[in-house]
Amino acid sequence: MGIYNLFILPKTTVPIDLPVTSARIAELFSEFLRRYYEWKSAKLKEMILMFLMLIVGGSILSIPWLLPNIGMSLSLCLLFLFYIAVKRYIAVNRKVSHLYVNVHVLQHHLVGKLEVGFCNHREPCHCAEEFMDYVLKTYNISLNKILI
């Protein structure tokens, strides 16, 4: 018989000045922020790779006319670089799409929790609106509209 070890990731820390009364909302929001910034980073990589593919593709087409002596061999080398860039772009594009779905689901879940009510106040309060305003001012993320 063996022993099954499960690696448990440490809990993420929540900012102290977060205006929530529930620890579950704070954990959900910290997970949303982690995924949101991971999505933004992957999206930046995707744009950089797209720009690289445009530059390399344009070079492949223009170098044979600019450098007739060595243009074809240089174009073949750039074609190999273009192939690698396209493969990498497809992988990053899949990751961006997957992360977007994760972020969108977490945003929907967070907004749903906020709309149902996450505070313990019995009288009408503005806790959800204050939290959404805090997120907009602090992180520049609008929870009211769909992320693009």
Side-chain angles (χ1 to χ4, degrees):
M1 289 212 180
I3 299 174
Y4 180 69
N5 287 333
L6 178 64
F7 177 72
I8 299 175
L9 295 174
K11 295 281 183 185
T12 57
T13 59
V14 180
I16 296 171
D17 61 347
L18 196 61
V20 293
T21 57
S22 170
R24 295 181 78 189
I25 291 290
E27 288 177 11
L28 179 63
F29 182 66
S30 65
E31 179 68 19
F32 170 76
L33 279 180
R34 185 181 68 78
R35 297 272 176 96
Y36 178 80
Y37 288 128
E38 186 179 356
W39 171 63
K40 283 293 196 181
S41 173
K43 202 170 165 183
L44 179 65
K45 287 179 189 176
E46 181 186 34
M47 287 191 311
I48 290 171
L49 282 169
M50 178 62 81
F51 184 70
L52 177 71
M53 288 188 324
L54 286 173
I55 296 294
V56 172
S59 298
I60 289 171
L61 294 175
S62 63
I63 283 185
W65 283 283
L66 297 175
L67 303 169
N69 295 337
I70 61 169
M72 274 316 264
S73 59
L74 193 57
S75 285
L76 288 175
C77 293
L78 287 175
L79 187 63
F80 180 71
L81 179 66
F82 185 75
Y83 171 75
I84 292 172
V86 167
K87 274 187 80 170
R88 183 70 182 142
Y89 174 78
I90 291 171
V92 170
N93 188 350
R94 285 184 186 154
K95 183 179 178 180
V96 166
S97 298
H98 178 74
L99 287 171
Y100 175 75
V101 169
N102 285 341
V103 168
H104 186 70
V105 167
L106 281 171
Q107 179 193 14
H108 182 71
H109 188 62
L110 184 64
V111 169
K113 290 257 188 203
L114 292 174
E115 288 176 353
V116 169
F118 67 95
C119 63
N120 298 325
H121 297 122
R122 296 199 184 269
E123 68 275 352
C125 66
H126 302 287
C127 292
E129 290 85 12
E130 290 173 4
F131 180 73
M132 288 183 181
D133 288 341
Y134 170 80
V135 171
L136 183 62
K137 290 177 186 172
T138 307
Y139 300 102
N140 200 19
I141 301 171
S142 175
L143 296 176
N144 294 328
K145 63 179 180 178
I146 297 173
L147 299 172
I148 296 174

